[in-house]
Amino acid sequence: MKRKIIYIACACQLYCSFALLSPAYGEEASQFLLKTSDTESTGEFTVTLQGKNVKDLYAYEAKFSFDASKLDVVKAVSKIEGFSVSPIVKNNEVTFAHTKMGKVEGEKGNLDIGSITFKAKKAGSTTVKWTSMKVVDHNLQNQSISLNEAADFTKIFSDLASHWAKSDIMQLVNKNIVEGMDDDHFAPDTNVTRAQFATLLAKALNLKSSSVQNPFSDVAAGAWYEDTVKKAYMAGLVNGIADGEFAPEKNITREEMTAMLLRAKGHATGMKVEDMTAGAAIRFSDEGAVSDWAKKVVALAVDSGLMNGRTAEEFAPQEQATRAESVVVLKRLLAGLGVK
């Protein structure tokens, strides 16, 4: 207990020295760099504080900025012997301080100084910046250095690690257009409903709300998709499957998804689907399975690169689309419209 009190007193002395002493180094400033464990992970990330050309590092105080809504600080560890003050997190900043003990020389040369581990709260990209480093030598002379070292991290959903659509999905996650089923799972191979795809299009194109009366008897008032289905209908993106019936909970087929996608392109470009022309006819072994009403939109989407076949030979028009497929075609649409 007595030793712990002594250590705390030393830590207080360290902080006081930062506040009261002025920089005394005349030599070339040391360099401080960030090294990352991985830029992509399903959970935790670690940044390592590295020093180059260090002269006499007896104690230090490092400050980092980060988005506290996206990251938690898990731990901070110094690679130098001595006493560390637990990381102090305030708003979007974390401060980590450490001091050696006793009458000893400070560290010299190139070395790993310490590390901080963060845990991502949700999927998406974020940045950690090392903003300042205060160093104290063994004579308790200090120097304050402004830094602009940054490390970017992306938390991916655990079920996307080796998925073919990972890159496109994460791009739209970072644009806040698509979300996971929860913080850790995207469920890329599950089916997507007609209401869900209409909602994706409405969000991606930033469709405006409308006071028009709901045209579909099966889109219930207060349903989570009521507003977005109305937006999509008013923009001409969706039709019902029958008079007054939208079938919002029905899994969308690939040809239905293609039709909504082409109408979305038409809305964004001001060109009606009826006025669009395709350079080539459908060339899939199952083109006979494409519904008559969908033949033109499938041809247009394939010709423009918005849609590919499910395989090289088959378009699979009547198969149900997956969440991964819906995100990939949406990303292609936005890229074609020049949306970054």
Side-chain angles (χ1 to χ4, degrees):
M1 181 67 184
K2 183 176 182 181
R3 177 174 295 180
K4 185 174 182 181
I5 293 173
I6 294 173
Y7 283 174
I8 293 173
C10 290
C12 292
Q13 182 182 10
L14 167 63
Y15 278 118
C16 290
S17 69
F18 288 146
L20 299 177
L21 295 178
S22 59
Y25 284 108
E27 303 178 19
E28 180 183 354
S30 303
Q31 291 183 319
F32 296 98
L33 308 170
L34 273 185
K35 178 182 177 182
T36 61
S37 56
D38 288 296
T39 58
E40 185 178 278
S41 168
T42 57
E44 293 187 353
F45 307 93
T46 298
V47 294
T48 299
L49 294 60
Q50 294 184 322
K52 290 188 175 182
N53 196 34
V54 173
K55 303 298 189 300
D56 181 5
L57 181 61
Y58 184 85
Y60 62 86
E61 178 193 77
K63 289 183 179 290
F64 298 83
S65 64
F66 68 103
D67 188 341
S69 70
K70 294 182 177 181
L71 296 174
D72 283 327
V73 177
V74 177
K75 62 180 178 180
V77 178
S78 182
K79 302 296 179 69
I80 300 172
E81 291 186 359
F83 175 74
S84 295
V85 178
S86 297
I88 299 172
V89 179
K90 185 176 181 180
N91 298 325
N92 291 316
E93 184 178 73
V94 57
T95 302
F96 175 43
H98 178 85
T99 180
K100 300 184 78 169
M101 305 300 296
K103 294 182 179 181
V104 296
E105 295 288 322
E107 300 294 319
K108 297 179 176 63
N110 301 331
L111 67 150
D112 286 349
I113 297 169
S115 64
I116 300 183
T117 299
F118 297 88
K119 182 177 181 180
K121 297 179 180 180
K122 56 185 179 181
S125 298
T126 190
T127 301
V128 173
K129 293 183 179 180
W130 191 359
T131 57
S132 69
M133 180 70 166
K134 292 182 180 180
V135 295
V136 177
D137 66 16
H138 74 286
N139 292 316
L140 297 185
Q141 298 297 302
N142 81 77
Q143 180 185 28
S144 181
I145 304 169
S146 295
L147 299 173
N148 192 29
E149 288 290 306
D152 297 322
F153 303 104
T154 299
K155 177 187 174 179
I156 62 171
F157 296 102
S158 60
D159 52 5
L160 287 186
S162 58
H163 197 276
W164 63 271
K166 178 184 73 174
S167 177
D168 288 348
I169 290 171
M170 293 310 303
Q171 284 186 45
L172 293 201
V173 167
N174 287 326
K175 293 178 185 294
N176 296 316
I177 295 174
V178 301
E179 300 176 349
M181 301 300 286
D182 57 41
D183 289 342
D184 298 311
H185 302 90
F186 187 79
D189 298 319
T190 60
N191 296 321
V192 61
T193 67
R194 287 169 53 84
Q196 287 171 338
F197 192 63
T199 298
L200 287 179
L201 291 174
K203 290 180 67 175
L205 299 181
N206 194 27
L207 299 181
K208 303 304 180 185
S209 296
S210 172
S211 58
V212 67
Q213 184 176 354
N214 181 2
F216 302 115
S217 60
D218 57 353
V219 175
W224 69 265
Y225 48 76
E226 179 191 13
D227 186 51
T228 51
V229 170
K230 286 170 60 178
K231 289 179 183 178
Y233 175 77
M234 284 302 298
L237 274 55
V238 302
N239 294 326
I241 63 171
D243 289 342
E245 186 179 353
F246 181 68
E249 302 291 352
K250 176 180 175 289
N251 290 332
I252 196 169
T253 65
R254 283 173 49 83
E255 68 177 16
E256 289 174 333
M257 181 171 71
T258 304
M260 288 190 195
L261 193 67
L262 259 292
R263 294 182 197 125
K265 178 181 178 181
H267 172 79
T269 60
M271 179 181 289
K272 295 180 180 180
V273 174
E274 293 78 8
D275 297 330
M276 298 179 187
T277 57
I282 303 172
R283 290 291 181 264
F284 291 105
S285 62
D286 60 350
E287 62 184 82
V290 179
S291 300
D292 289 341
W293 65 265
K295 288 187 183 298
K296 181 174 183 177
V297 293
V298 170
L300 287 167
V302 172
D303 182 61
S304 64
L306 281 178
M307 291 287 295
N308 295 328
R310 183 160 273 182
T311 68
E313 295 79 26
E314 295 184 344
F315 186 78
Q318 306 304 327
E319 295 295 319
Q320 296 171 346
T322 66
R323 281 169 54 82
E325 287 175 327
S326 68
V327 173
V328 169
V329 299
L330 185 58
K331 189 253 186 182
R332 291 177 189 152
L333 172 66
L334 294 176
L337 296 175
V339 177
K340 296 182 179 179

